Amino acid sequence: MTIRTPLLTVDIIIRGGSTAEIFLIRRKNPPPGWALPGGFVDVGETVEAAAVREAREETSLHVHLKTLLGVYSDPARDPRGHTVSVVFVADAVSGKPRADDDAGDIRAFRLDALPSTIAFDHRRILDDYRHRFLKPSPPTAQ
Amino acid sequence: MTIRTPLLTVDIIIRGGSTAEIFLIRRKNPPPGWALPGGFVDVGETVEAAAVREAREETSLHVHLKTLLGVYSDPARDPRGHTVSVVFVADAVSGKPRADDDAGDIRAFRLDALPSTIAFDHRRILDDYRHRFLKPSPPTAQ
């Protein structure tokens, strides 16, 4: 009997210098839009190693993983099929950001100025990140 | 091209009444020993739903998930092949513990009195749980 489970991926929230600025790549392949760097975990590879490898392959950045943000497994999160993503928060520690592999472009975005089209459930993931790591802005004086 | 990734599983640390007492099942199938309840995630199912389902199938307990403990992905953690486990901490909320499905027996164990043979990397997982959720015991007076 062959056991089938959802495919396993990693995605990485890579911080540039500040907690409030993260890197997104513009996808060359469908579904279109900006997305977190990430990809499939290889058999024989830990999820942590996969996250460091995918960050390097897609952004040219060497990253240090800081924490696990969560595991995202809604069967509808990827229109191509059921994938489960282990999402890490990481700091870029060396390298110059350069779009590689599946990425058409790479840019640093402030969390309060994200692009309008974000693929998969990555906007929800970024919402979760913001709620966990960023203090709410002080109210504006009237 | 068929994409292959490690198989995805869930394991559940089910607390009886206290944080320091958890349920383990005795495995009927190899590898032998006591283990956390758990099993494979089905395609089309979230990891949270899989955890609640596996807890019920293997222990007859209905559980409420409390938090994600971690993701365990060492390629050597299961001698049968590379599996990645998403581990949840849960409280038993109803049902009587009864060994079902793959389980030969079920028992509640105090974390300071675990059985000597624990399968997979579940002792390490329980160590991580203890470090995160239990305060160290006060030193014994001389």
Side-chain angles (χ1 to χ4, degrees), chain B residues 8-139:
Chain B
L8 186 65
T9 68
V10 286
D11 289 296
I12 315 100
I13 295 177
I14 306 176
R15 308 190 281 206
S18 96
T19 306
E21 195 169 82
I22 56 98
F23 288 102
L24 296 178
I25 60 172
R26 195 170 57 204
R27 294 176 53 77
K28 274 198 287 199
N29 300 313
W34 294 84
L36 295 168
F40 291 105
V41 179
D42 290 337
V43 175
E45 178 183 51
T46 64
V47 291
E48 290 82 5
V52 170
R53 175 182 57 73
E54 286 287 348
R56 192 183 62 239
E57 287 177 5
E58 297 207 329
T59 71
S60 293
L61 293 168
H62 181 64
V63 301
H64 278 184
L65 304 185
K66 304 305 284 184
T67 191
L68 173 68
L69 181 68
V71 178
Y72 293 81
S73 62
D74 182 339
R77 60 184 296 279
D78 186 329
R80 301 165 301 179
H82 191 186
T83 63
V84 171
S85 187
V86 178
V87 179
F88 291 96
V89 177
D91 286 336
V93 289
S94 64
K96 276 194 189 305
R98 193 180 69 227
D100 275 331
D101 216 25
D102 286 345
D105 194 4
I106 180 169
R107 271 186 25 210
F109 288 93
R110 288 189 49 87
L111 288 172
D112 55 7
L114 292 174
S116 58
T117 305
I118 298 183
F120 310 115
D121 56 355
H122 290 188
R123 187 179 297 278
R124 184 192 152 194
I125 292 172
L126 287 165
D127 280 344
D128 290 347
Y129 168 73
R130 193 173 57 223
H131 287 135
R132 180 148 149 205
F133 287 96
L134 268 68
K135 300 249 183 298
S137 305

Side-chain angles (χ1 to χ4, degrees), chain A residues 67-131:
Chain A
T67 191
L68 174 68
L69 180 68
V71 178
Y72 293 81
S73 62
D74 182 340
R77 61 184 296 279
D78 186 330
R80 301 165 299 180
H82 190 187
T83 62
V84 171
S85 187
V86 179
V87 179
F88 291 96
V89 177
D91 287 335
V93 289
S94 62
K96 277 194 187 308
R98 192 179 68 225
D100 276 331
D101 218 21
D102 285 346
D105 194 4
I106 179 168
R107 269 184 29 207
F109 288 94
R110 287 188 51 87
L111 288 171
D112 56 7
L114 292 173
S116 58
T117 305
I118 297 183
F120 311 115
D121 57 354
H122 290 188
R123 189 179 295 277
R124 184 191 152 195
I125 292 172
L126 287 165
D127 280 346
D128 290 347
Y129 168 74
R130 194 173 55 222
H131 287 136

